[in-house]
Amino acid sequence: MSGLRTQAARTSPIADETMQFGSSSDDQVRAQRFRDAALPYLDDVYTLARYLLRDASDAEDAVQECYLRALKHFDSYRGPAMKPWLFAILRNVCRAEFARRTHSSITPADELPETAEQTTPLWSEAQETPETEVLRHRDASAIQRMIAALAEPFKETFVLREIQNLSYREIAEAVGAPVGTVMSRLARARAMLRTAWLAEEEQPK
Amino acid sequence: MTCDEAEILLHALIDGELDAGHVREVENHIATCPHCAAQLGAYRDMQAEIAAADLRFTAPPQLRRRIEAALPQPRIASRRSVLRGFAMGSVVSAMAATGIVAIVLRSDDEQRIESEVVSAHLRSLQAGHLTDVISTDQHTVKPWCNGRLDVAPPVIDLTALGFTLIGGRLDYIDGRAIGAVVYKRRAHIINLFVAQTPNASRSPARTDDVQGFNIRRWRDHGLSFWAVSDISADELTEFSDKFESAMRTNGNS
């Protein structure tokens, strides 16, 4: 998807300025600082991109765009921790990509109607799940598929918690939602995943 | 506590996000409610299954190369000037959390800083990153730090006590440039990070295990200390004990 970079740039307010790097030593110094601070998280950012976008080459493009934007805004970075900050940027890149795909059925988290989250009581899915039933062991790729199939915004919250090991506060910072919202999304994500997990067992491939 | 409350809070419980008081409340509820107890067990099992599976992806080498190629190329040995250029001061982002949630969640700032300290320790072990000033003489290391930091770390030679001073470095933790004093114990490196803290009260040392490294941290004389190493917790405790007692003896450092 060669369209991501240019399209993302068009829809993003921060990409209006031209991205230019001179060869001055300041830029090099800055780039080295950025390398040290941000590159150790490349696998983390790529992992999140793979769950948010599914397609591997889309994910690569999104991660590259994320790092370029992060470098551009590195001067104004004053925390929080680097990882949630990079995730927040990646999310914006992915949302721009969602916006581009007007024919896509995928709805970005922030454009879900508010009511979708609020009308369903948190515990309704959970109650339908037989809590005594034991989950059958599944291999990693099967679990990855089930997680990837979760609806947003529950999927990203789940991935940030269980795969990226972010705290609730860091998740709240990365997705720009209150901690209470993070908690309710996580509860629903787990209920949905468990339901899917049990359902898969009933009809083995 | 009602089941509705418990069914949300049990997730915070298995994620280790509840403070002690609420842990007790949720556990009391679970003890009397088979439904919620079963839920808790089911979600714990699922979390264990997920933790045991490798669900991460590794960035392909060509992606790493593409990103590297897009960054301005570094010059060797620019690290010192890099560190001098760090903006001082940090902004603590105040999270506006809503409802009961704000009260029940413990602060994870300390955890975050500890994980940054471990990252800085790991970075320092890469070739050429360990020391900005190499000296076994505390009277060389300290003046070097004085010229570069608002608050120079106390530099104490513990060579005679089994911990060899090998130098100092500027590092970057929690958005601030801070000093690191580097010691060696046999083949193991100990990084002692020192930062100014607004909290003047003394806080006794305690050891945490973060990503397989031991961190011993304490606070004294308006300074926060983090000693990080892969040596055993016992040896690290010995280090911090000797450092603290030498600091008291020196008085001024």
Side-chain angles (χ1 to χ4, degrees):
Chain A
M1 77 153 192
S2 55
L4 188 143
R5 246 159 297 152
T6 46
Q7 289 293 343
R10 206 173 297 149
T11 49
S12 158
I14 60 173
D16 287 348
E17 312 138 45
T18 320
M19 203 171 292
Q20 275 181 344
F21 302 113
S23 58
S24 74
S25 64
D26 271 3
D27 279 351
Q28 293 178 338
V29 156
R30 194 166 153 270
Q32 186 56 45
R33 266 203 293 145
F34 178 73
R35 262 192 191 81
D36 289 348
L39 276 184
Y41 299 111
L42 182 59
D43 285 345
D44 297 310
V45 175
Y46 179 70
T47 295
L48 181 60
R50 284 295 297 271
Y51 281 101
L52 293 183
L53 292 174
R54 301 184 195 196
D55 180 82
S57 73
D58 285 2
E60 277 189 47
D61 288 347
V63 171
Q64 181 170 7
E65 172 68 16
C66 166
Y67 270 84
L68 290 177
R69 284 198 202 177
L71 172 65
K72 201 155 160 327
H73 294 272
F74 190 50
D75 286 341
S76 58
Y77 167 72
R78 296 282 182 278
M82 178 56 66
K83 206 158 102 165
W85 186 69
L86 289 171
F87 288 166
I89 296 173
L90 178 74
R91 250 183 116 249
N92 287 337
V93 172
C94 292
R95 275 165 55 198
E97 173 61 11
F98 283 134
R100 188 183 71 82
R101 294 182 191 179
T102 45
H103 302 296
S104 166
S105 58
I106 306 164
T107 313
D110 291 356
E111 287 171 24
L112 273 186
E114 292 263 315
T115 47
E117 271 188 85
Q118 287 160 6
T119 49
T120 322
L122 288 172
W123 46 91
S124 68
E125 291 96 347
Q127 271 179 352
E128 289 153 16
T129 314
E131 60 260 10
T132 48
E133 203 168 317
V134 178
L135 291 178
R136 196 162 59 95
H137 176 74
R138 303 305 311 264
D139 63 23
S141 62
I143 299 174
Q144 280 173 336
R145 266 201 313 280
M146 288 189 280
I147 295 171
L150 292 176
E152 291 293 7
F154 311 106
K155 176 168 66 179
E156 68 174 2
T157 307
F158 184 84
V159 171
L160 291 173
R161 171 74 275 266
E162 295 288 36
I163 297 172
Q164 305 286 5
N165 279 319
L166 259 50
S167 71
Y168 287 3
R169 253 170 244 271
E170 288 173 326
I171 297 171
E173 275 166 18
V175 306
V179 174
T181 306
V182 169
M183 289 176 78
S184 66
R185 284 178 186 173
L186 185 60
R188 288 199 56 194
R190 283 184 174 143
M192 291 191 278
L193 181 64
R194 187 170 148 76
T195 305
W197 198 314
L198 290 169
E200 253 208 10
E201 288 169 14
E202 283 164 16
Q203 29 187 294
K205 291 172 290 179
Chain B
M1 177 169 293
T2 66
C3 286
D4 289 355
E5 286 170 326
E7 288 200 28
I8 303 170
L9 289 180
L10 67 84
H11 291 280
L13 178 68
I14 66 175
D15 290 326
E17 294 262 358
L18 282 187
D19 64 19
H22 285 83
V23 167
R24 248 195 322 277
E25 277 189 43
V26 177
E27 284 174 348
N28 286 345
H29 175 81
I30 302 269
T32 59
C33 175
H35 171 72
C36 288
Q39 290 281 324
L40 179 68
Y43 286 123
R44 277 216 164 111
D45 289 348
M46 191 170 82
Q47 192 176 50
E49 282 282 336
I50 284 162
D54 182 10
L55 303 177
R56 298 174 51 82
F57 295 89
T58 305
Q62 78 269 12
L63 174 61
R64 197 174 287 270
R65 281 196 297 274
R66 265 163 65 189
I67 291 173
E68 280 282 355
L71 297 175
Q73 292 313 300
R75 270 186 213 150
I76 313 300
S78 62
R79 187 168 169 82
R80 236 168 264 177
S81 50
V82 169
L83 289 161
R84 228 173 283 144
F86 276 140
M88 301 296 265
S90 72
V91 176
V92 178
S93 70
M95 275 303 307
T98 54
I100 54 160
V101 174
I103 309 156
V104 303
L105 298 180
R106 69 185 159 66
S107 156
D108 58 5
D109 267 6
E110 283 185 353
Q111 254 182 303
R112 177 175 59 77
I113 289 174
E114 287 198 345
S115 113
E116 284 191 34
V117 163
V118 168
S119 301
H121 176 73
L122 283 169
R123 272 199 309 276
S124 80
L125 301 180
Q126 291 167 8
H129 281 176
L130 186 58
T131 50
D132 288 331
V133 55
I134 301 169
S135 175
T136 53
D137 180 359
Q138 54 184 318
H139 302 296
T140 305
V141 177
K142 187 162 169 66
W144 182 88
C145 292
N146 276 338
R148 286 164 178 82
L149 286 165
D150 285 354
V151 178
V155 179
I156 300 175
D157 187 1
L158 299 172
T159 306
L161 299 168
F163 298 93
T164 314
L165 174 68
I166 61 172
R169 189 179 75 250
L170 295 190
D171 220 310
Y172 183 57
I173 304 282
D174 194 26
R176 287 188 299 168
I178 72 166
V181 186
V182 189
Y183 293 88
K184 204 165 182 173
R185 169 79 153 186
R186 300 186 307 276
H188 303 276
I189 297 296
I190 302 167
N191 269 298
L192 178 65
F193 297 92
V194 187
Q196 198 173 14
T197 166
N199 192 336
S201 69
R202 188 173 180 283
S203 134
R206 49 171 284 197
T207 306
D208 288 316
D209 180 316
V210 179
Q211 298 164 30
F213 291 90
N214 286 311
I215 296 190
R216 189 138 174 99
R217 61 187 169 89
W218 68 95
R219 197 172 61 222
D220 201 4
H221 291 96
L223 296 172
S224 290
F225 297 84
W226 298 264
V228 195
S229 182
D230 58 349
I231 59 173
S232 72
D234 287 347
E235 281 185 292
L236 199 59
T237 302
E238 184 191 336
F239 171 79
S240 75
D241 288 350
K242 284 178 173 163
F243 184 93
E244 283 197 278
S245 96
M247 196 166 148
R248 273 194 296 277
T249 315
N250 288 13
N252 56 356
S253 65

